[in-house]
């Protein structure tokens, strides 16, 4: 049983391969939390070369890592600078 079993964590900025959001999402999943990784849903053509090279798919790739750690996951494309996007995220 993990420390965060039964908890849900919304992690913003979780779409970058080398970002703190992805690392946080995976770490929280390993502690038992279910994860809602959010990101801007960048087009694969706009990804940095290192992410393209490994076939990174923004928050979908983070979700794969979260589920591999044993947690449930719901990805939500969200621009946290847009209040309507944030409200939509919270209302889910």
């Amino acid at each position: 049983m993990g420390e965060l079993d039964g908890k849900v964590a919304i992690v913003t900025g979780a779409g970058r391969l080398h970002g703190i959001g992805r690392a946080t999402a995976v770490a929280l999943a390993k502690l038992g939390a279910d994860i809602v990784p959010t990101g801007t849903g960048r087009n694969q053509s706009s990804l940095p070369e290192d992410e393209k090279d490994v076939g990174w798919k923004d928050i979908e790739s983070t979700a794969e890592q979260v589920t591999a750690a044993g947690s449930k996951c719901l990805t939500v494309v969200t621009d946290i600078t847009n209040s309507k996007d944030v409200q939509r995220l919270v209302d889910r």
Side-chain angles (χ1 to χ4, degrees):
M1 195 164 186
E3 285 180 60
L4 298 177
D5 286 353
K7 305 291 184 185
V8 176
I10 298 172
V11 182
T12 62
R16 299 299 302 263
L17 173 61
H18 301 293
I20 194 168
R22 183 209 55 81
T24 300
V26 173
L28 291 170
K30 288 179 180 177
L31 292 172
D34 293 329
I35 308 296
V36 181
T38 73
T40 57
R42 294 173 299 151
N43 184 303
Q44 283 192 296
S45 66
S46 70
L47 297 176
E49 289 304 316
D50 64 325
E51 291 181 2
K52 287 179 186 177
D53 290 345
V54 297
W56 193 253
K57 298 175 297 227
D58 200 61
I59 57 176
E60 294 304 322
S61 290
T62 299
E64 290 171 7
Q65 292 181 347
V66 165
T67 56
S71 290
K72 295 177 189 172
C73 189
L74 170 68
T75 59
V76 181
V77 173
T78 305
D79 176 355
I80 63 167
T81 67
N82 179 313
S83 62
K84 288 181 182 179
D85 264 13
V86 173
Q87 189 61 53
R88 182 178 54 85
L89 170 65
V90 172
D91 288 344
R92 289 189 94 165

